[in-house]
């Protein structure tokens, strides 16, 4: 569900940006058929582009490293109730967001299904008239509208203006405007949280009416406009149909306005840089990393099959990954488990000692040590993150390595190899006594621009 939520957010970004571009460039233009095609293109681009764009560096990039701060592992066995509640609330928040989105989709789908059922019942409630075979008359009709191959009208609509009404709805049916509305409502079902989705369908309905008005008003614009004003009384059309009496002020203003230049459709080219802006925004490292972490935040990562919280959690306040025990990959190589000195059997390992262990020289020295010694694997072409858990023993030596998040065998081994070169740390302390302590260290193997200096900023 996390992956689909990220996809929905990316769709929302593209739809919002492209809709804003449309409003600025084309909304007041009289090229109505082109505007309709542009709006449908925005739907297509918004939903398809996130499937094909991967936010990864290009091939002209050099190797780089980003080393995170060492993090204490928090275990529910020795966490305080308040600390554990805080960590557990983060998992609940993530699950809550995904659940709200899924619930919104279900509600939207139910509304769509109910609307479709009401439309079907309404279409079956009418009776035909002789003059116009495609017209059905129903006292339940909220107003004149067309859908599929049928035009629905009220008994009160059978008057001298009926030919105008029928001509108006015939253009809607001929140009398949009802299909556009199905597409738009389907988009709303998955983008129910996105205001742009509702603005898009409103814009699409207006363009439909502009398009029909342009055709039907040609023989007698004044009489057609008077007919629209007379039919203004009454409710709108069903969900999946256009309404004859909607947005009358805008429509009459458009009919009276000067026609746009034949070059006006070229303004749609402004949507290309708008799409590029959206891609660039989603490609920013902080945004891309956030989206990546959201993709990984599936419910299964927070709960075991028995529904209990994971035994071990990384401090979420400092690292964006929360790994369950099922994801721990224990290194089998001798170098990964060897420690420089022997240790007491069953030695108690703390995760939150009073005084944390420290690399000689502090954090800056640790980061420099890792940067100086880690060698970027030659066959590594993409950004990866390795999170290694290790124990700092009472004598300051390191051991008991476990890979919590793998970046591939070569990267995993390289991180453990360099940690084994580490000098002894100042051990953690409880009550003034040295104690063993668990830590997690995130290491990002990144691709950086050739002319960009490697970053020394810890996470």
């Amino acid at each position: 569900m996390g992956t689909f939520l990220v996809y929905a957010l990316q769709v929302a970004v593209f739809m919002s940006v492209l809709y804003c571009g449309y409003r600025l460039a084309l909304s007041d233009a009289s090229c109505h058929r082109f505007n309709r095609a542009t709006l449908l293109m925005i739907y297509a681009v918004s939903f398809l582009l996130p499937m094909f764009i991967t936010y990864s560096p290009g091939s002209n990039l050099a190797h780089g490293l980003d080393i995170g701060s060492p993090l204490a592992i928090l275990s529910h066995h020795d966490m305080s109730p308040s600390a554990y509640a805080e960590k557990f609330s983060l998992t609940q928040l993530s699950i809550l967001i995904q659940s709200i989105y899924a619930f919104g989709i279900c509600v939207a789908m139910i509304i769509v299904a109910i609307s479709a059922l009401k439309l079907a019942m309404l279409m079956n409630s009418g009776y035909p008239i002789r003059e116009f075979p495609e017209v059905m008359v129903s006292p339940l009709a909220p107003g004149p509208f067309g859908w599929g191959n049928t035009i629905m009208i009220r008994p009160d609509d059978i008057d001298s203006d009926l030919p105008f009404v029928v001509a108006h709805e015939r253009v809607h049916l001929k140009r398949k405007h009802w299909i556009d509305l199905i597409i738009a409502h389907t988009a709303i079902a998955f983008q129910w949280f996105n205001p742009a989705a509702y603005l898009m369908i409103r814009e699409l309905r207006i363009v439909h009416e502009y398009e029909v008005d342009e055709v039907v008003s040609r023989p007698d614009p004044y009489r057609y406009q008077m007919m629209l004003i007379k039919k203004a009384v009454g409710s709108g059309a069903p969900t999946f149909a256009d309404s004859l009496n909607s947005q009358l002020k805008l429509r009459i203003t458009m009919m009276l306005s000067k026609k746009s230049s034949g070059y006006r459709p070229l303004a749609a080219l402004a949507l290309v840089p708008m799409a590029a802006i959206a891609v660039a925004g989603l490609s920013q490292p902080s945004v891309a990393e956030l989206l990546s972490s959201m993709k990984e935040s599936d419910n299964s990562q927070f709960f075991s099959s028995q529904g209990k919280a994971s035994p071990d959690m990384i401090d979420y306040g400092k690292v964006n990954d929360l790994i369950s025990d099922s994801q721990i990959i224990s290194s089998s190589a001798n170098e990964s488990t060897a420690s420089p000195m022997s240790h007491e059997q069953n030695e108690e390992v703390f995760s939150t000692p009073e005084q944390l262990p420290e690399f000689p020289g502090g954090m800056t020295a640790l980061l420099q040590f890792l940067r100086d010694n880690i060698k970027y694997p030659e066959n590594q072409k993409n950004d990866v993150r390795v999170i290694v858990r290790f124990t700092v023993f009472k004598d300051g030596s390191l051991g008991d390595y476990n890979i919590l998040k793998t970046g591939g065998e070569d990267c995993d081994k390289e991180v453990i190899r360099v940690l084994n070169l580490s000098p002894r740390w100042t051990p953690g302390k409880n009550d003034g006594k040295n104690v063993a302590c668990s830590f997690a260290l995130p290491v990002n193997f990144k691709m950086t621009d050739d002319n960009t200096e490697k970053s020394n900023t810890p996470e």
Side-chain angles (χ1 to χ4, degrees), residues 168-328:
H168 180 277
E169 298 304 330
R170 278 176 174 169
V171 177
H172 276 307
L173 299 184
K174 181 178 179 180
R175 301 199 173 176
K176 308 295 183 183
H177 289 165
W178 54 277
I179 295 179
D180 298 359
L181 297 180
I182 292 177
I183 295 172
H185 280 287
T186 302
I188 286 178
F190 293 98
Q191 290 284 297
W192 59 265
F193 61 91
N194 182 12
Y198 300 93
L199 295 173
M200 282 279 292
I201 193 172
R202 178 180 179 273
E203 197 73 31
L204 196 58
R205 289 182 185 276
I206 293 174
V207 169
H208 286 171
E209 297 303 331
Y210 287 164
E211 193 176 357
V212 174
D213 293 342
E214 184 180 34
V215 175
V216 183
S217 66
R218 284 173 185 166
D220 192 343
Y222 176 77
R223 185 181 173 190
Y224 178 73
Q225 292 166 16
M226 292 303 297
M227 180 275 295
L228 292 177
I229 295 173
K230 287 169 59 177
K231 298 296 180 180
V233 179
S235 58
T239 301
F240 294 104
D242 290 294
S243 176
L244 174 70
N245 56 11
S246 66
Q247 303 292 337
L248 290 184
K249 183 178 179 180
L250 289 176
R251 291 164 62 186
I252 292 176
T253 301
M254 179 60 73
M255 283 186 276
L256 297 175
S257 64
K258 184 180 179 181
K259 299 300 180 184
S260 301
S261 166
Y263 296 102
R264 186 61 186 276
L266 294 177
L269 294 175
L271 298 182
V272 176
M274 297 293 282
I277 290 173
V279 173
L282 292 171
S283 300
Q284 291 299 308
S286 57
V287 177
E289 184 174 354
L290 175 61
L291 294 177
S292 178
S293 64
M294 289 178 65
K295 283 184 179 181
E296 297 172 1
S297 62
D298 206 315
N299 297 0
S300 61
Q301 291 179 295
F302 301 118
F303 295 97
S304 65
S305 59
Q306 290 78 18
K308 299 179 180 180
S310 303
D312 296 295
M313 298 189 213
I314 297 172
D315 188 344
Y316 201 85
K318 295 182 180 178
V319 97
N320 289 330
D321 298 84
L322 188 59
I323 311 297
S324 67
D325 263 359
S326 61
Q327 292 175 293
I328 292 177

Side-chain angles (χ1 to χ4, degrees), residues 386-448:
V386 177
I387 300 181
V388 58
R389 181 176 66 184
F390 57 91
T391 300
V392 181
F393 293 103
K394 293 179 181 180
D395 58 7
S397 60
L398 309 184
D400 292 346
Y401 299 103
N402 281 302
I403 298 297
L404 299 183
K405 182 173 183 180
T406 181
E409 183 178 358
D410 291 341
C411 292
D412 297 347
K413 288 184 176 181
E414 180 61 17
V415 171
I416 294 174
R417 181 190 70 81
V418 173
L419 286 175
N420 272 326
L421 300 177
S422 171
R424 284 192 290 177
W425 292 35
T426 301
K429 295 182 182 295
N430 271 342
D431 297 327
K433 298 180 180 179
N434 293 351
V435 294
C437 180
S438 289
F439 266 75
L441 182 71
V443 180
N444 291 337
F445 289 79
K446 289 189 173 183
M447 308 289 287
T448 58

